[in-house]
Amino acid sequence: MQMRLEVVQVPVADVDRAKSFYSEKLGFVLDHDVEHIPGMRVVQLTPPGSAVSIVIGTGMTGMAPGSLEGLQLVVPDINAVRSELLGRGAEISDIQDMGGVLFAHFSDPDGNRWVIQGETPSDVREAHKP
């Protein structure tokens, strides 16, 4: 058996505002923006280099806008990514060192909370193996 997580819904109140945030400020690639049936708009965006996309839209979920938290974007160089996102106008927290693994946080315009995680250094990964 094989299963791949490929799409995660992100609940937003204003689809166009969220689409602009994710594509312009975060650099996510716009895969499509379609209305399959009246009242159901599907906007799919993919973070650069990711196998998983997000979907925002209308008529798809009962989750309240801003209720999603904890999605993690893992990056090879958190300092470079944070600098680029700040340059694009995104508000990103300072980087925190949590035992050798680096993290930063941000929220989208609706309050959905995200985490940016630097790749775990091999010495930290080895130290935590059972």
Side-chain angles (χ1 to χ4, degrees):
M1 177 167 65
Q2 181 181 12
M3 293 184 214
R4 294 186 320 261
L5 178 64
E6 293 190 1
V7 180
V8 175
Q9 289 188 26
V10 177
V12 300
D14 182 326
V15 178
D16 290 318
R17 179 182 68 180
K19 176 182 168 183
S20 175
F21 173 79
Y22 285 104
S23 63
E24 295 171 16
K25 293 197 176 182
L26 297 185
F28 286 23
V29 175
L30 176 63
D31 299 320
H32 59 260
D33 182 348
V34 296
E35 189 170 2
H36 293 290
I37 58 174
M40 183 178 180
R41 180 177 175 194
V42 179
V43 179
Q44 182 171 313
L45 302 118
T46 304
S50 179
V52 179
S53 301
I54 64 166
V55 169
I56 57 176
T58 57
M60 297 184 300
T61 182
M63 290 187 291
S67 63
L68 190 65
E69 61 181 69
L71 289 180
Q72 290 189 308
L73 298 169
V74 179
V75 300
D77 184 341
I78 194 169
N79 290 298
V81 169
R82 181 176 181 274
S83 292
E84 181 173 337
L85 296 179
L86 288 170
R88 290 172 165 268
E91 294 182 23
I92 311 293
S93 73
D94 290 337
I95 296 172
Q96 300 172 312
D97 186 332
M98 306 291 281
V101 182
L102 304 178
F103 294 92
H105 303 85
F106 69 89
S107 295
D108 72 9
D110 287 288
N112 294 299
R113 296 185 311 211
W114 289 75
V115 178
I116 301 173
Q117 175 188 329
E119 280 187 3
T120 305
S122 57
D123 60 324
V124 173
R125 195 170 39 253
E126 287 298 317
H128 289 94
K129 280 189 175 180

